[in-house]
mmCIF file of all heavy atoms in Angstrom:
data_model
loop_
_atom_site.group_PDB
_atom_site.id
_atom_site.type_symbol
_atom_site.label_atom_id
_atom_site.label_comp_id
_atom_site.label_asym_id
_atom_site.label_seq_id
_atom_site.Cartn_x
_atom_site.Cartn_y
_atom_site.Cartn_z
ATOM 1 N N HIS A 144 21.679 37.862 160.730
ATOM 2 C CA HIS A 144 21.923 39.286 160.535
ATOM 3 C C HIS A 144 23.401 39.556 160.257
ATOM 4 O O HIS A 144 24.279 38.870 160.773
ATOM 5 C CB HIS A 144 21.499 40.071 161.772
ATOM 6 C CG HIS A 144 20.047 39.961 162.093
ATOM 7 N ND1 HIS A 144 19.060 40.477 161.290
ATOM 8 C CD2 HIS A 144 19.407 39.371 163.139
ATOM 9 C CE1 HIS A 144 17.880 40.237 161.816
ATOM 10 N NE2 HIS A 144 18.061 39.553 162.934
ATOM 11 N N LYS A 145 23.650 40.589 159.465
ATOM 12 C CA LYS A 145 25.001 41.098 159.247
ATOM 13 C C LYS A 145 25.085 42.414 160.022
ATOM 14 O O LYS A 145 24.521 43.424 159.615
ATOM 15 C CB LYS A 145 25.266 41.333 157.764
ATOM 16 C CG LYS A 145 25.146 40.088 156.903
ATOM 17 C CD LYS A 145 26.289 39.122 157.149
ATOM 18 C CE LYS A 145 26.226 37.946 156.188
ATOM 19 N NZ LYS A 145 27.348 37.008 156.366
ATOM 20 N N THR A 146 25.760 42.403 161.150
ATOM 21 C CA THR A 146 25.674 43.527 162.077
ATOM 22 C C THR A 146 26.961 44.344 162.150
ATOM 23 O O THR A 146 28.058 43.857 161.841
ATOM 24 C CB THR A 146 25.325 43.035 163.492
ATOM 25 O OG1 THR A 146 26.336 42.116 163.932
ATOM 26 C CG2 THR A 146 23.974 42.352 163.507
ATOM 27 N N GLU A 147 26.790 45.594 162.570
ATOM 28 C CA GLU A 147 27.905 46.454 162.932
ATOM 29 C C GLU A 147 27.601 47.061 164.298
ATOM 30 O O GLU A 147 26.450 47.116 164.722
ATOM 31 C CB GLU A 147 28.114 47.559 161.898
ATOM 32 C CG GLU A 147 26.946 48.502 161.732
ATOM 33 C CD GLU A 147 27.202 49.562 160.688
ATOM 34 O OE1 GLU A 147 28.334 49.652 160.189
ATOM 35 O OE2 GLU A 147 26.259 50.314 160.359
ATOM 36 N N ILE A 148 28.632 47.521 164.995
ATOM 37 C CA ILE A 148 28.481 48.075 166.340
ATOM 38 C C ILE A 148 28.367 49.591 166.256
ATOM 39 O O ILE A 148 29.187 50.256 165.614
ATOM 40 C CB ILE A 148 29.664 47.672 167.227
ATOM 41 C CG1 ILE A 148 29.711 46.145 167.396
ATOM 42 C CG2 ILE A 148 29.570 48.342 168.592
ATOM 43 C CD1 ILE A 148 30.913 45.650 168.166
ATOM 44 N N ILE A 149 27.337 50.135 166.894
ATOM 45 C CA ILE A 149 27.121 51.577 166.972
ATOM 46 C C ILE A 149 27.295 51.999 168.429
ATOM 47 O O ILE A 149 26.698 51.404 169.327
ATOM 48 C CB ILE A 149 25.708 51.963 166.495
ATOM 49 C CG1 ILE A 149 25.432 51.386 165.096
ATOM 50 C CG2 ILE A 149 25.525 53.467 166.523
ATOM 51 C CD1 ILE A 149 26.311 51.931 164.013
ATOM 52 N N THR A 150 28.099 53.038 168.660
ATOM 53 C CA THR A 150 28.345 53.503 170.024
ATOM 54 C C THR A 150 27.893 54.951 170.175
ATOM 55 O O THR A 150 28.221 55.799 169.346
ATOM 56 C CB THR A 150 29.838 53.401 170.385
ATOM 57 O OG1 THR A 150 30.252 52.039 170.263
ATOM 58 C CG2 THR A 150 30.086 53.868 171.809
ATOM 59 N N ALA A 151 27.127 55.234 171.219
ATOM 60 C CA ALA A 151 26.740 56.595 171.600
ATOM 61 C C ALA A 151 27.390 56.903 172.944
ATOM 62 O O ALA A 151 27.127 56.209 173.932
ATOM 63 C CB ALA A 151 25.223 56.727 171.687
ATOM 64 N N GLU A 152 28.242 57.909 172.980
ATOM 65 C CA GLU A 152 28.967 58.224 174.206
ATOM 66 C C GLU A 152 28.032 58.858 175.228
ATOM 67 O O GLU A 152 27.108 59.602 174.881
ATOM 68 C CB GLU A 152 30.125 59.173 173.902
ATOM 69 C CG GLU A 152 31.180 58.588 172.974
ATOM 70 C CD GLU A 152 31.879 57.378 173.564
ATOM 71 O OE1 GLU A 152 31.948 57.287 174.820
ATOM 72 O OE2 GLU A 152 32.356 56.528 172.787
ATOM 73 N N PRO A 153 28.259 58.606 176.520
ATOM 74 C CA PRO A 153 27.417 59.210 177.573
ATOM 75 C C PRO A 153 27.739 60.694 177.740
ATOM 76 O O PRO A 153 28.808 61.166 177.350
ATOM 77 C CB PRO A 153 27.808 58.417 178.815
ATOM 78 C CG PRO A 153 29.229 58.014 178.554
ATOM 79 C CD PRO A 153 29.305 57.733 177.075
ATOM 80 N N THR A 154 26.801 61.430 178.340
ATOM 81 C CA THR A 154 27.023 62.821 178.734
ATOM 82 C C THR A 154 26.987 62.901 180.255
ATOM 83 O O THR A 154 26.880 61.878 180.937
ATOM 84 C CB THR A 154 25.942 63.740 178.131
ATOM 85 O OG1 THR A 154 24.675 63.420 178.738
ATOM 86 C CG2 THR A 154 25.843 63.550 176.626
ATOM 87 N N CYS A 155 27.013 64.109 180.781
ATOM 88 C CA CYS A 155 26.939 64.272 182.234
ATOM 89 C C CYS A 155 25.629 63.735 182.793
ATOM 90 O O CYS A 155 25.570 63.251 183.926
ATOM 91 C CB CYS A 155 27.071 65.745 182.614
ATOM 92 S SG CYS A 155 28.677 66.461 182.229
ATOM 93 N N THR A 156 24.556 63.873 182.012
ATOM 94 C CA THR A 156 23.228 63.559 182.542
ATOM 95 C C THR A 156 22.550 62.376 181.869
ATOM 96 O O THR A 156 21.553 61.876 182.374
ATOM 97 C CB THR A 156 22.308 64.785 182.394
ATOM 98 O OG1 THR A 156 22.250 65.151 180.997
ATOM 99 C CG2 THR A 156 22.848 65.959 183.192
ATOM 100 N N GLU A 157 23.059 61.919 180.740
ATOM 101 C CA GLU A 157 22.393 60.846 180.001
ATOM 102 C C GLU A 157 23.344 59.676 179.758
ATOM 103 O O GLU A 157 24.533 59.870 179.463
ATOM 104 C CB GLU A 157 21.859 61.352 178.665
ATOM 105 C CG GLU A 157 20.758 62.395 178.807
ATOM 106 C CD GLU A 157 20.204 62.817 177.454
ATOM 107 O OE1 GLU A 157 20.782 62.385 176.425
ATOM 108 O OE2 GLU A 157 19.212 63.556 177.431
ATOM 109 N N ASN A 158 22.782 58.471 179.879
ATOM 110 C CA ASN A 158 23.561 57.273 179.606
ATOM 111 C C ASN A 158 23.889 57.179 178.116
ATOM 112 O O ASN A 158 23.127 57.628 177.262
ATOM 113 C CB ASN A 158 22.802 56.023 180.021
ATOM 114 C CG ASN A 158 22.666 55.904 181.517
ATOM 115 O OD1 ASN A 158 23.423 56.515 182.276
ATOM 116 N ND2 ASN A 158 21.692 55.127 181.964
ATOM 117 N N GLY A 159 25.004 56.591 177.825
ATOM 118 C CA GLY A 159 25.322 56.204 176.453
ATOM 119 C C GLY A 159 24.987 54.739 176.272
ATOM 120 O O GLY A 159 24.455 54.084 177.171
ATOM 121 N N PHE A 160 25.301 54.210 175.094
ATOM 122 C CA PHE A 160 25.005 52.803 174.860
ATOM 123 C C PHE A 160 25.874 52.269 173.722
ATOM 124 O O PHE A 160 26.445 53.024 172.933
ATOM 125 C CB PHE A 160 23.523 52.601 174.510
ATOM 126 C CG PHE A 160 23.068 53.366 173.298
ATOM 127 C CD1 PHE A 160 23.281 52.886 172.012
ATOM 128 C CD2 PHE A 160 22.431 54.594 173.445
ATOM 129 C CE1 PHE A 160 22.875 53.581 170.899
ATOM 130 C CE2 PHE A 160 22.014 55.313 172.336
ATOM 131 C CZ PHE A 160 22.237 54.803 171.055
ATOM 132 N N GLU A 161 25.964 50.974 173.690
ATOM 133 C CA GLU A 161 26.590 50.256 172.585
ATOM 134 C C GLU A 161 25.548 49.297 172.046
ATOM 135 O O GLU A 161 24.990 48.504 172.793
ATOM 136 C CB GLU A 161 27.824 49.498 173.053
ATOM 137 C CG GLU A 161 28.585 48.788 171.952
ATOM 138 C CD GLU A 161 29.820 48.089 172.468
ATOM 139 O OE1 GLU A 161 30.827 48.783 172.718
ATOM 140 O OE2 GLU A 161 29.764 46.853 172.668
ATOM 141 N N LYS A 162 25.258 49.392 170.769
ATOM 142 C CA LYS A 162 24.245 48.515 170.196
ATOM 143 C C LYS A 162 24.728 47.949 168.873
ATOM 144 O O LYS A 162 25.677 48.458 168.266
ATOM 145 C CB LYS A 162 22.921 49.248 169.999
ATOM 146 C CG LYS A 162 22.917 50.300 168.892
ATOM 147 C CD LYS A 162 21.522 50.887 168.723
ATOM 148 C CE LYS A 162 21.497 51.945 167.621
ATOM 149 N NZ LYS A 162 20.132 52.497 167.409
ATOM 150 N N ILE A 163 24.072 46.890 168.453
ATOM 151 C CA ILE A 163 24.353 46.321 167.139
ATOM 152 C C ILE A 163 23.181 46.640 166.213
ATOM 153 O O ILE A 163 22.031 46.656 166.635
ATOM 154 C CB ILE A 163 24.585 44.800 167.205
ATOM 155 C CG1 ILE A 163 23.394 44.075 167.840
ATOM 156 C CG2 ILE A 163 25.872 44.487 167.941
ATOM 157 C CD1 ILE A 163 23.499 42.569 167.765
ATOM 158 N N GLU A 164 23.498 46.949 164.980
ATOM 159 C CA GLU A 164 22.489 47.191 163.954
ATOM 160 C C GLU A 164 22.790 46.323 162.751
ATOM 161 O O GLU A 164 23.949 46.157 162.368
ATOM 162 C CB GLU A 164 22.480 48.660 163.529
ATOM 163 C CG GLU A 164 21.890 49.609 164.550
ATOM 164 C CD GLU A 164 21.750 51.016 164.011
ATOM 165 O OE1 GLU A 164 22.266 51.290 162.902
ATOM 166 O OE2 GLU A 164 21.125 51.851 164.687
ATOM 167 N N CYS A 165 21.734 45.775 162.161
ATOM 168 C CA CYS A 165 21.913 44.957 160.974
ATOM 169 C C CYS A 165 22.101 45.863 159.764
ATOM 170 O O CYS A 165 21.398 46.863 159.594
ATOM 171 C CB CYS A 165 20.711 44.037 160.763
ATOM 172 S SG CYS A 165 20.904 42.928 159.339
ATOM 173 N N LEU A 166 23.035 45.518 158.905
ATOM 174 C CA LEU A 166 23.301 46.277 157.689
ATOM 175 C C LEU A 166 22.231 46.062 156.630
ATOM 176 O O LEU A 166 22.135 46.841 155.671
ATOM 177 C CB LEU A 166 24.666 45.876 157.116
ATOM 178 C CG LEU A 166 25.869 46.268 157.961
ATOM 179 C CD1 LEU A 166 27.088 45.473 157.535
ATOM 180 C CD2 LEU A 166 26.133 47.753 157.869
ATOM 181 N N ILE A 167 21.446 45.012 156.786
ATOM 182 C CA ILE A 167 20.461 44.669 155.760
ATOM 183 C C ILE A 167 19.053 45.037 156.204
ATOM 184 O O ILE A 167 18.344 45.763 155.509
ATOM 185 C CB ILE A 167 20.547 43.166 155.436
ATOM 186 C CG1 ILE A 167 21.931 42.826 154.865
ATOM 187 C CG2 ILE A 167 19.451 42.767 154.445
ATOM 188 C CD1 ILE A 167 22.152 41.352 154.635
ATOM 189 N N CYS A 168 18.626 44.544 157.355
ATOM 190 C CA CYS A 168 17.239 44.752 157.784
ATOM 191 C C CYS A 168 17.180 45.796 158.902
ATOM 192 O O CYS A 168 18.147 46.508 159.166
ATOM 193 C CB CYS A 168 16.611 43.440 158.231
ATOM 194 S SG CYS A 168 17.219 42.828 159.821
ATOM 195 N N GLU A 169 16.054 45.908 159.567
ATOM 196 C CA GLU A 169 15.851 46.931 160.590
ATOM 197 C C GLU A 169 16.150 46.432 162.002
ATOM 198 O O GLU A 169 15.836 47.113 162.979
ATOM 199 C CB GLU A 169 14.409 47.445 160.513
ATOM 200 C CG GLU A 169 14.101 48.163 159.204
ATOM 201 C CD GLU A 169 12.691 48.714 159.153
ATOM 202 O OE1 GLU A 169 11.880 48.334 160.032
ATOM 203 O OE2 GLU A 169 12.409 49.509 158.238
ATOM 204 N N TYR A 170 16.758 45.285 162.118
ATOM 205 C CA TYR A 170 17.061 44.740 163.441
ATOM 206 C C TYR A 170 18.128 45.574 164.156
ATOM 207 O O TYR A 170 19.142 45.966 163.562
ATOM 208 C CB TYR A 170 17.557 43.302 163.310
ATOM 209 C CG TYR A 170 18.113 42.733 164.588
ATOM 210 C CD1 TYR A 170 17.272 42.254 165.587
ATOM 211 C CD2 TYR A 170 19.491 42.686 164.805
ATOM 212 C CE1 TYR A 170 17.786 41.736 166.767
ATOM 213 C CE2 TYR A 170 20.012 42.162 165.970
ATOM 214 C CZ TYR A 170 19.148 41.691 166.951
ATOM 215 O OH TYR A 170 19.665 41.189 168.118
#
């Protein structure tokens, strides 16, 4: 996979996350 890092910041009530997504496929 050719991946990039996607970050979603947390809020007061919900967790955030850091994930990798492939630039080519749906992984």
Side-chain angles (χ1 to χ4, degrees):
H144 298 293
K145 300 289 185 178
T146 59
E147 61 181 353
I148 297 175
I149 307 296
T150 301
E152 297 297 333
T154 67
C155 295
T156 58
E157 295 183 353
N158 291 340
F160 58 82
E161 183 178 283
K162 70 176 180 178
I163 56 173
E164 287 187 351
C165 183
L166 293 163
I167 298 175
C168 73
E169 295 182 347
Y170 170 80

